[in-house]
Each structure stands twice: as structure tokens, then as C-alpha cells.
Amino acid sequence: MISDAIETTQCQRKDPVDLFHSGHFVKICAPMVRYSKLAFRTLVRKYNCDLCYTPMIIAADFVRSVKARDSEFTTSKGDRPLIVQFAANEAQVLSDAARIVCPFADGIDLNCGCPQRIHDDLKRTVDLCRKAEATGVSWITVHGRNVEERHQPVHYDAIKIIKQNLSIPIVANGDVKTLKDAENIHHMTGTDGVMVARGLLANPAMFAGYEETPLKCIQDWVDIALEHGTPFTCFHHHLMYMMERITSKQEKRVFNVLSSTSAVLDYVNDHYGV
Ligand SMILES: Cc1cc2nc3c(=O)[nH]c(=O)nc-3n(C[C@H](O)[C@H](O)[C@H](O)COP(=O)(O)O)c2cc1C
């Protein structure tokens, strides 16, 4: 909770922009509603994730309500560097929300991606990015799809053009499932970082080079989640994602309907020795 975290986290601020000048592309865990919470961020950081985003938080609720603050934002000493993502349509509200999280975060992100992403007329997207750059934003993440596209291939060529037309760091996002994919997209687009959502849900160890979730990572999730008092649904859903590729259909039929932490613990112990 915020009030407990102040003293432990306040003094550790790092400028996350420095990450973009480290000579390596920055490996980033995307904002994910319900999922990119403290426990999951702790897990991916163990496996070479350089920078984490919180789930999107509605700035107006965050400013208005202590309850919303306590339920939407939790952090801890090692949870850095951290970017807090807000949804806001009023500058003052965003500014007020930013001021509240400022001692606990290394940056603020404004979600401009739902539902507009890149525009069909790429000049308009480049223009928008330039305007954002002119306002002083530190970097921009681009999901390379337009508003109608869901499963179509990501337009990495569009991301490359945006990168070529801006001076600030650009982060590429979309359909990265392995470290190799991330490296390829970095080379293909020339971007400074790669942000991953579903690939990390499926394999939180992917930035460390694992092709699929290692058992050690499942063990780490169980330990971290229990230590953080993660609610059952969140604990269970993460395991479903992580085990998706390594469990058979029959196993899933049993595992996915388990309804208590103890049943899940027994299951992973019996089947995986975790
Ligand atoms: C479960 C889930 C929750 C998401 N929540 C957010 C969010 O809170 N804010 C946001 O900007 N994008 C959110 N997204 C979009 C992702 O950050 C990302 O842009 C998108 O999934 C494409 O990346 P990927 O191909 O690596 O999954 C979410 C995606 C998923 C799968």
C-alpha cells in the first residue's frame, strides 16, 4: 500500500531514460489490467525484465478515492524502475494523480492506445508522435496495429518509420513471444526498447532467453504470489497462462476448474514437483 511504501521506495528514484542509453534495447513488461501488478512485476524482474508498467489506472478515481488508490496501486522496495500508467482526459486530473504516485514511481504513462493505435494514414501518427515529443514526453511506445486490427500481423514497418522521424526513444510493441523475436524486432525497426504483454503472461522468463516457462519460474510465481497474498483468481489465472504451452488438454480441463489455493498447490506439487 502506498502509505507503507513511502519510506522504503522514495529514495531509490532512477531516471528510466538512462536505460535507453545503456547500449542495449530495453526489455519492458507492458501495462496489463488485472495482471501487471506488484507480484507479477516482481517475477518478471527476476528474469531480466528491465522496466515494468502498472496496469492502467483511472486517474480520476485514483485522485478521488483512497480506496481506489489502495486497491489499484501497490509497490515495494525492489519494484523499480516503475512506470505508472493512467487513463485521463483532463490534464489537471492527470497531473494530480502523477503528483500522488511521484514518490513511488520513475515515470508516468498516459494510455493513448485504446482504441486508437497507429492511423491508416501514417503521416497522422507521425504527426501525433511529434506533437507528443514537442510537449516533452520522454519516450513513446507504439503498438503497430490500427483500430480495426486484432490478430493481423503487426506493422513493424510503420513503427520503423515513426522511429526514423522522432528523436526521443521509441518502444515497439506487439506479438513478441520470445527473446529472439524481441531482438529481431529491435533490429528490424531500430527502436530502443521492446514491450511485451501476452508473451510475458505465457512465459514470464522469456526475457531471460527461455523458450517456454521453466519449472523454476512456476515455483518462483507460487512463492512470490503467496508471499504477496495474491487473490486466488489472479494467482490461478497467471498459472493457467504460464502452463498453457506445457500442459495437455486433459490436464487443463482439471487444472483450470480448481477453485482454491490449496487445490492448486496440491496440483502443481503432484504434477510438477513445485
Ligand atoms: C490482459 C491484458 C491487459 C492489458 N491491459 C492494458 C492496459 O492496462 N493498458 C494498456 O495500455 N494496454 C493494455 N493491454 C495491451 C498491451 O499492453 C499490449 O499493448 C498488447 O497486448 C499488445 O502486446 P502483446 O502482443 O505483447 O500482447 C493489455 C493487454 C492484455 C493482454
Side-chain angles (χ1 to χ4, degrees):
M1 307 243 253
I2 287 179
S3 50
D4 290 336
I6 291 181
E7 277 140 37
T8 47
T9 60
Q10 209 165 18
C11 53
Q12 297 176 31
R13 184 192 300 279
K14 294 174 192 150
D15 187 345
V17 176
D18 291 346
L19 287 172
F20 293 103
H21 302 295
S22 65
H24 305 283
F25 72 93
V26 184
K27 301 186 276 303
I28 303 172
C29 175
M32 284 180 277
V33 163
R34 289 190 301 279
Y35 293 104
S36 63
K37 296 190 163 195
L38 174 60
F40 188 68
R41 299 195 297 266
T42 306
L43 180 68
V44 295
R45 288 184 199 280
K46 266 182 94 92
Y47 289 91
N48 288 7
C49 181
D50 298 315
L51 178 64
C52 290
Y53 280 57
T54 66
M56 182 182 79
I57 299 171
I58 309 290
D61 296 346
F62 195 77
V63 170
R64 199 180 314 118
S65 145
V66 174
K67 200 167 157 211
R69 291 206 275 281
D70 287 346
S71 71
E72 296 297 308
F73 180 67
T74 315
T75 188
S76 71
K77 195 177 172 190
D79 189 28
R80 308 298 281 265
L82 178 67
I83 305 299
V84 178
Q85 187 188 64
F86 286 114
N89 55 11
E90 280 179 50
Q92 187 59 52
V93 174
L94 178 63
S95 161
D96 292 346
R99 205 162 290 146
I100 295 169
V101 290
C102 173
F104 319 100
D106 302 279
I108 300 298
D109 184 65
L110 177 62
N111 184 347
C112 304
C114 306
Q116 294 106 14
R117 292 175 171 139
I118 57 171
H119 198 276
D120 281 339
D121 176 2
L122 197 56
K123 274 195 216 120
R124 290 182 59 174
T125 303
V126 170
D127 192 42
L128 178 69
C129 291
R130 280 197 176 136
K131 282 184 183 144
E133 181 177 57
T135 68
V137 303
S138 304
W139 70 86
I140 297 173
T141 304
V142 184
H143 178 65
R145 287 194 170 96
N146 69 31
V147 67
E148 279 98 33
E149 293 175 324
R150 288 284 174 273
H151 303 291
Q152 290 88 336
V154 174
H155 300 284
Y156 296 116
D157 50 340
I159 300 178
K160 181 178 178 177
I161 290 169
I162 294 166
K163 168 65 193 165
Q164 286 168 342
N165 281 278
L166 274 94
S167 306
I168 52 172
I170 299 293
V171 173
N173 168 242
D175 287 357
V176 173
K177 304 292 181 215
T178 64
L179 182 61
K180 197 95 210 105
D181 289 346
E183 285 163 356
N184 289 342
I185 285 150
H186 162 65
H187 290 305
M188 204 190 311
T189 59
T191 47
D192 308 273
V194 174
M195 174 186 275
V196 181
R198 291 162 302 157
L200 279 173
L201 285 180
N203 176 9
M206 64 155 274
F207 281 141
Y210 292 93
E211 297 277 325
E212 53 188 38
T213 315
L215 286 183
K216 172 77 175 80
C217 180
I218 295 176
Q219 175 73 65
D220 285 336
W221 170 247
V222 169
D223 294 344
I224 292 169
L226 293 182
E227 197 181 304
H228 284 83
T230 305
F232 171 72
T233 309
C234 178
F235 171 61
H236 191 205
H237 278 188
H238 273 294
L239 284 171
M240 283 187 220
Y241 275 117
M242 285 179 213
M243 290 164 43
E244 168 77 28
R245 289 188 220 156
I246 56 174
T247 43
S248 66
K249 265 193 183 155
Q250 283 139 305
E251 280 181 299
K252 272 177 209 146
R253 245 178 263 144
V254 177
F255 183 76
N256 293 359
V257 297
L258 296 176
S259 59
S260 71
T261 301
S262 56
V264 167
L265 292 176
D266 285 345
Y267 186 96
V268 289
N269 189 15
D270 292 348
H271 289 74
Y272 300 101
V274 164

